[in-house]
Amino acid sequence: MITAEYDRWADTDGVPARDRLDVLGLDATGRLVVVELKQGTADRDVHLQAITYAALVSRFGLGTLAQAHRGFLSRRGQVLDIGACRQRLLDHVDGEWSPALLQRPRQVIIAADFPKQVTHSVVRLSEMGIDIDLVQVGLWRVEGHIVAGFTKVYPTPEVEEFTLTPTRVEGEAAAKKLQERSRSRNAVHVLVGAGLLPDGARLLMTPRHGVTEAIRAEIRAWVAQTPAGQPPPGPMTPPSHWSGTRTEPPTPLPGWPTTSSRT
């Protein structure tokens, strides 16, 4: 989140605008996300509000966003200089900062329900290239706790196939690249980097998703060819169905559970 309840913009004549943006975020692909929150059923013109806010923030550069983020943190008792705020935003984006992508914000409207005027208008706006999501929220009280549920009303996966705008395609391509990059990181490296595994810990790598029991048995037999702690007697060929790194049978350390990871 960059900021919330933002109202620091002014007209060209210096008169402050009364519009207050609920939430302004920045996703990992480098796109701004304008979030409009409504209690109960959304107003009939809520999509116009979202478009207005998106138009306003589309002119923001890194300096303006850093200043807004600094003010947001300051109101919550966290004091950072403008340089540190700029760096926080840059670090949040995977890859290079793109001013062009920054000028094409996503819009998300969250409400308990949406009138037909809004849903019909958003479908048409999406076909015209404006990126708007409608998210329905429900609240329940369960054993003294408030539980929230969110349902994406538009665009549904089926509709997205026909109404994807160039902006959404570009953003989804960047998101897919980010997801692939995250998957490429070895799970063990993530655990070690987080300080969750001590030096010398042994892991049992257990393939689960998309792997049959026959393949798992073949992998176990291959791993069992060499006793733990001894070098292999000669070259060993892994099962043709499996690509990965051979690991020794586990010896859990006291107090540490055996760790499994998908391969």
Side-chain angles (χ1 to χ4, degrees), residues 128-148:
M128 296 172 63
I130 298 177
D131 193 351
I132 305 181
D133 289 358
L134 299 180
V135 178
Q136 190 173 42
V137 60
L139 297 177
W140 298 269
R141 185 180 298 276
V142 180
E143 297 181 353
H145 300 280
I146 300 297
V147 179

PDB file of all heavy atoms in Angstrom, residues 128-148:
ATOM      1  N   MET A 128     -13.665  -1.140 -23.855  1.00  0.00           N
ATOM      2  CA  MET A 128     -13.048   0.068 -24.408  1.00  0.00           C
ATOM      3  C   MET A 128     -11.602   0.253 -23.939  1.00  0.00           C
ATOM      4  O   MET A 128     -10.955   1.218 -24.310  1.00  0.00           O
ATOM      5  CB  MET A 128     -13.877   1.293 -24.016  1.00  0.00           C
ATOM      6  CG  MET A 128     -15.280   1.297 -24.606  1.00  0.00           C
ATOM      7  SD  MET A 128     -16.302   2.637 -23.923  1.00  0.00           S
ATOM      8  CE  MET A 128     -15.389   4.083 -24.494  1.00  0.00           C
ATOM      9  N   GLY A 129     -11.118  -0.675 -23.126  1.00  0.00           N
ATOM     10  CA  GLY A 129      -9.720  -0.613 -22.732  1.00  0.00           C
ATOM     11  C   GLY A 129      -9.443  -0.116 -21.333  1.00  0.00           C
ATOM     12  O   GLY A 129      -8.288   0.113 -20.978  1.00  0.00           O
ATOM     13  N   ILE A 130     -10.482   0.095 -20.518  1.00  0.00           N
ATOM     14  CA  ILE A 130     -10.296   0.553 -19.136  1.00  0.00           C
ATOM     15  C   ILE A 130     -10.341  -0.656 -18.213  1.00  0.00           C
ATOM     16  O   ILE A 130     -11.267  -1.459 -18.261  1.00  0.00           O
ATOM     17  CB  ILE A 130     -11.375   1.577 -18.744  1.00  0.00           C
ATOM     18  CG1 ILE A 130     -11.275   2.808 -19.643  1.00  0.00           C
ATOM     19  CG2 ILE A 130     -11.246   1.986 -17.284  1.00  0.00           C
ATOM     20  CD1 ILE A 130     -12.337   3.855 -19.405  1.00  0.00           C
ATOM     21  N   ASP A 131      -9.333  -0.765 -17.366  1.00  0.00           N
ATOM     22  CA  ASP A 131      -9.133  -1.952 -16.538  1.00  0.00           C
ATOM     23  C   ASP A 131      -9.802  -1.769 -15.177  1.00  0.00           C
ATOM     24  O   ASP A 131      -9.283  -1.074 -14.306  1.00  0.00           O
ATOM     25  CB  ASP A 131      -7.630  -2.178 -16.376  1.00  0.00           C
ATOM     26  CG  ASP A 131      -7.315  -3.541 -15.805  1.00  0.00           C
ATOM     27  OD1 ASP A 131      -8.248  -4.236 -15.371  1.00  0.00           O
ATOM     28  OD2 ASP A 131      -6.128  -3.916 -15.794  1.00  0.00           O
ATOM     29  N   ILE A 132     -10.973  -2.393 -14.984  1.00  0.00           N
ATOM     30  CA  ILE A 132     -11.718  -2.287 -13.726  1.00  0.00           C
ATOM     31  C   ILE A 132     -12.125  -3.677 -13.257  1.00  0.00           C
ATOM     32  O   ILE A 132     -12.654  -4.470 -14.041  1.00  0.00           O
ATOM     33  CB  ILE A 132     -12.985  -1.414 -13.873  1.00  0.00           C
ATOM     34  CG1 ILE A 132     -12.639  -0.021 -14.419  1.00  0.00           C
ATOM     35  CG2 ILE A 132     -13.697  -1.283 -12.536  1.00  0.00           C
ATOM     36  CD1 ILE A 132     -13.837   0.878 -14.563  1.00  0.00           C
ATOM     37  N   ASP A 133     -11.888  -3.949 -11.972  1.00  0.00           N
ATOM     38  CA  ASP A 133     -12.352  -5.184 -11.343  1.00  0.00           C
ATOM     39  C   ASP A 133     -13.454  -4.849 -10.344  1.00  0.00           C
ATOM     40  O   ASP A 133     -13.368  -3.842  -9.625  1.00  0.00           O
ATOM     41  CB  ASP A 133     -11.223  -5.891 -10.589  1.00  0.00           C
ATOM     42  CG  ASP A 133     -10.199  -6.511 -11.534  1.00  0.00           C
ATOM     43  OD1 ASP A 133     -10.397  -6.426 -12.760  1.00  0.00           O
ATOM     44  OD2 ASP A 133      -9.213  -7.069 -11.032  1.00  0.00           O
ATOM     45  N   LEU A 134     -14.477  -5.698 -10.296  1.00  0.00           N
ATOM     46  CA  LEU A 134     -15.530  -5.584  -9.289  1.00  0.00           C
ATOM     47  C   LEU A 134     -15.401  -6.757  -8.327  1.00  0.00           C
ATOM     48  O   LEU A 134     -15.387  -7.921  -8.748  1.00  0.00           O
ATOM     49  CB  LEU A 134     -16.921  -5.600  -9.946  1.00  0.00           C
ATOM     50  CG  LEU A 134     -17.227  -4.481 -10.943  1.00  0.00           C
ATOM     51  CD1 LEU A 134     -18.646  -4.648 -11.492  1.00  0.00           C
ATOM     52  CD2 LEU A 134     -17.066  -3.115 -10.297  1.00  0.00           C
ATOM     53  N   VAL A 135     -15.281  -6.455  -7.044  1.00  0.00           N
ATOM     54  CA  VAL A 135     -15.104  -7.489  -6.028  1.00  0.00           C
ATOM     55  C   VAL A 135     -16.210  -7.339  -4.987  1.00  0.00           C
ATOM     56  O   VAL A 135     -16.385  -6.271  -4.404  1.00  0.00           O
ATOM     57  CB  VAL A 135     -13.723  -7.383  -5.353  1.00  0.00           C
ATOM     58  CG1 VAL A 135     -13.591  -8.447  -4.265  1.00  0.00           C
ATOM     59  CG2 VAL A 135     -12.613  -7.533  -6.380  1.00  0.00           C
ATOM     60  N   GLN A 136     -16.952  -8.416  -4.764  1.00  0.00           N
ATOM     61  CA  GLN A 136     -18.044  -8.414  -3.793  1.00  0.00           C
ATOM     62  C   GLN A 136     -17.533  -8.952  -2.465  1.00  0.00           C
ATOM     63  O   GLN A 136     -16.829  -9.971  -2.427  1.00  0.00           O
ATOM     64  CB  GLN A 136     -19.195  -9.274  -4.303  1.00  0.00           C
ATOM     65  CG  GLN A 136     -20.478  -9.159  -3.508  1.00  0.00           C
ATOM     66  CD  GLN A 136     -21.609  -9.921  -4.183  1.00  0.00           C
ATOM     67  OE1 GLN A 136     -21.422 -11.032  -4.677  1.00  0.00           O
ATOM     68  NE2 GLN A 136     -22.780  -9.327  -4.215  1.00  0.00           N
ATOM     69  N   VAL A 137     -17.848  -8.268  -1.385  1.00  0.00           N
ATOM     70  CA  VAL A 137     -17.378  -8.676  -0.064  1.00  0.00           C
ATOM     71  C   VAL A 137     -18.568  -9.004   0.828  1.00  0.00           C
ATOM     72  O   VAL A 137     -19.613  -8.347   0.774  1.00  0.00           O
ATOM     73  CB  VAL A 137     -16.509  -7.561   0.585  1.00  0.00           C
ATOM     74  CG1 VAL A 137     -17.306  -6.281   0.749  1.00  0.00           C
ATOM     75  CG2 VAL A 137     -15.951  -8.012   1.926  1.00  0.00           C
ATOM     76  N   GLY A 138     -18.409 -10.055   1.632  1.00  0.00           N
ATOM     77  CA  GLY A 138     -19.418 -10.422   2.612  1.00  0.00           C
ATOM     78  C   GLY A 138     -18.760 -10.568   3.974  1.00  0.00           C
ATOM     79  O   GLY A 138     -17.610 -11.011   4.072  1.00  0.00           O
ATOM     80  N   LEU A 139     -19.460 -10.177   5.031  1.00  0.00           N
ATOM     81  CA  LEU A 139     -18.927 -10.247   6.387  1.00  0.00           C
ATOM     82  C   LEU A 139     -19.801 -11.149   7.246  1.00  0.00           C
ATOM     83  O   LEU A 139     -21.035 -11.085   7.171  1.00  0.00           O
ATOM     84  CB  LEU A 139     -18.851  -8.852   7.012  1.00  0.00           C
ATOM     85  CG  LEU A 139     -17.911  -7.836   6.341  1.00  0.00           C
ATOM     86  CD1 LEU A 139     -18.026  -6.491   7.045  1.00  0.00           C
ATOM     87  CD2 LEU A 139     -16.474  -8.334   6.379  1.00  0.00           C
ATOM     88  N   TRP A 140     -19.154 -11.979   8.067  1.00  0.00           N
ATOM     89  CA  TRP A 140     -19.873 -12.869   8.972  1.00  0.00           C
ATOM     90  C   TRP A 140     -19.211 -12.805  10.341  1.00  0.00           C
ATOM     91  O   TRP A 140     -17.995 -12.587  10.453  1.00  0.00           O
ATOM     92  CB  TRP A 140     -19.842 -14.314   8.471  1.00  0.00           C
ATOM     93  CG  TRP A 140     -20.491 -14.511   7.150  1.00  0.00           C
ATOM     94  CD1 TRP A 140     -21.787 -14.826   6.886  1.00  0.00           C
ATOM     95  CD2 TRP A 140     -19.848 -14.403   5.865  1.00  0.00           C
ATOM     96  NE1 TRP A 140     -22.008 -14.928   5.535  1.00  0.00           N
ATOM     97  CE2 TRP A 140     -20.829 -14.667   4.883  1.00  0.00           C
ATOM     98  CE3 TRP A 140     -18.547 -14.106   5.449  1.00  0.00           C
ATOM     99  CZ2 TRP A 140     -20.549 -14.650   3.523  1.00  0.00           C
ATOM    100  CZ3 TRP A 140     -18.264 -14.082   4.096  1.00  0.00           C
ATOM    101  CH2 TRP A 140     -19.256 -14.352   3.151  1.00  0.00           C
ATOM    102  N   ARG A 141     -20.003 -12.990  11.365  1.00  0.00           N
ATOM    103  CA  ARG A 141     -19.470 -13.083  12.717  1.00  0.00           C
ATOM    104  C   ARG A 141     -19.450 -14.556  13.111  1.00  0.00           C
ATOM    105  O   ARG A 141     -20.493 -15.218  13.159  1.00  0.00           O
ATOM    106  CB  ARG A 141     -20.326 -12.283  13.701  1.00  0.00           C
ATOM    107  CG  ARG A 141     -19.739 -12.240  15.123  1.00  0.00           C
ATOM    108  CD  ARG A 141     -20.620 -11.430  16.054  1.00  0.00           C
ATOM    109  NE  ARG A 141     -20.718 -10.048  15.622  1.00  0.00           N
ATOM    110  CZ  ARG A 141     -19.821  -9.103  15.924  1.00  0.00           C
ATOM    111  NH1 ARG A 141     -18.758  -9.433  16.657  1.00  0.00           N
ATOM    112  NH2 ARG A 141     -19.972  -7.866  15.504  1.00  0.00           N
ATOM    113  N   VAL A 142     -18.270 -15.079  13.371  1.00  0.00           N
ATOM    114  CA  VAL A 142     -18.095 -16.489  13.703  1.00  0.00           C
ATOM    115  C   VAL A 142     -17.373 -16.593  15.044  1.00  0.00           C
ATOM    116  O   VAL A 142     -16.197 -16.218  15.144  1.00  0.00           O
ATOM    117  CB  VAL A 142     -17.302 -17.228  12.608  1.00  0.00           C
ATOM    118  CG1 VAL A 142     -17.129 -18.693  12.982  1.00  0.00           C
ATOM    119  CG2 VAL A 142     -17.999 -17.091  11.261  1.00  0.00           C
ATOM    120  N   GLU A 143     -18.084 -17.050  16.053  1.00  0.00           N
ATOM    121  CA  GLU A 143     -17.503 -17.244  17.380  1.00  0.00           C
ATOM    122  C   GLU A 143     -16.780 -15.996  17.877  1.00  0.00           C
ATOM    123  O   GLU A 143     -15.650 -16.046  18.363  1.00  0.00           O
ATOM    124  CB  GLU A 143     -16.546 -18.441  17.370  1.00  0.00           C
ATOM    125  CG  GLU A 143     -17.224 -19.765  17.057  1.00  0.00           C
ATOM    126  CD  GLU A 143     -16.258 -20.924  17.089  1.00  0.00           C
ATOM    127  OE1 GLU A 143     -15.043 -20.679  17.232  1.00  0.00           O
ATOM    128  OE2 GLU A 143     -16.717 -22.078  16.982  1.00  0.00           O
ATOM    129  N   GLY A 144     -17.443 -14.880  17.721  1.00  0.00           N
ATOM    130  CA  GLY A 144     -16.885 -13.619  18.213  1.00  0.00           C
ATOM    131  C   GLY A 144     -15.889 -12.958  17.298  1.00  0.00           C
ATOM    132  O   GLY A 144     -15.361 -11.889  17.618  1.00  0.00           O
ATOM    133  N   HIS A 145     -15.602 -13.560  16.139  1.00  0.00           N
ATOM    134  CA  HIS A 145     -14.655 -12.989  15.185  1.00  0.00           C
ATOM    135  C   HIS A 145     -15.380 -12.569  13.916  1.00  0.00           C
ATOM    136  O   HIS A 145     -16.387 -13.163  13.526  1.00  0.00           O
ATOM    137  CB  HIS A 145     -13.556 -14.001  14.840  1.00  0.00           C
ATOM    138  CG  HIS A 145     -12.754 -14.451  16.016  1.00  0.00           C
ATOM    139  ND1 HIS A 145     -11.727 -13.710  16.547  1.00  0.00           N
ATOM    140  CD2 HIS A 145     -12.844 -15.583  16.770  1.00  0.00           C
ATOM    141  CE1 HIS A 145     -11.195 -14.354  17.567  1.00  0.00           C
ATOM    142  NE2 HIS A 145     -11.860 -15.499  17.733  1.00  0.00           N
ATOM    143  N   ILE A 146     -14.853 -11.536  13.269  1.00  0.00           N
ATOM    144  CA  ILE A 146     -15.401 -11.082  11.995  1.00  0.00           C
ATOM    145  C   ILE A 146     -14.643 -11.774  10.867  1.00  0.00           C
ATOM    146  O   ILE A 146     -13.414 -11.698  10.786  1.00  0.00           O
ATOM    147  CB  ILE A 146     -15.271  -9.548  11.843  1.00  0.00           C
ATOM    148  CG1 ILE A 146     -16.030  -8.847  12.970  1.00  0.00           C
ATOM    149  CG2 ILE A 146     -15.801  -9.112  10.482  1.00  0.00           C
ATOM    150  CD1 ILE A 146     -17.527  -9.112  12.957  1.00  0.00           C
ATOM    151  N   VAL A 147     -15.370 -12.463  10.000  1.00  0.00           N
ATOM    152  CA  VAL A 147     -14.783 -13.174   8.874  1.00  0.00           C
ATOM    153  C   VAL A 147     -15.259 -12.514   7.587  1.00  0.00           C
ATOM    154  O   VAL A 147     -16.460 -12.270   7.411  1.00  0.00           O
ATOM    155  CB  VAL A 147     -15.175 -14.665   8.882  1.00  0.00           C
ATOM    156  CG1 VAL A 147     -14.578 -15.383   7.678  1.00  0.00           C
ATOM    157  CG2 VAL A 147     -14.727 -15.330  10.178  1.00  0.00           C
ATOM    158  N   ALA A 148     -14.321 -12.212   6.702  1.00  0.00           N
ATOM    159  CA  ALA A 148     -14.647 -11.570   5.430  1.00  0.00           C
ATOM    160  C   ALA A 148     -14.406 -12.538   4.288  1.00  0.00           C
ATOM    161  O   ALA A 148     -13.419 -13.290   4.281  1.00  0.00           O
ATOM    162  CB  ALA A 148     -13.799 -10.310   5.231  1.00  0.00           C
TER     163      ALA A 148
END
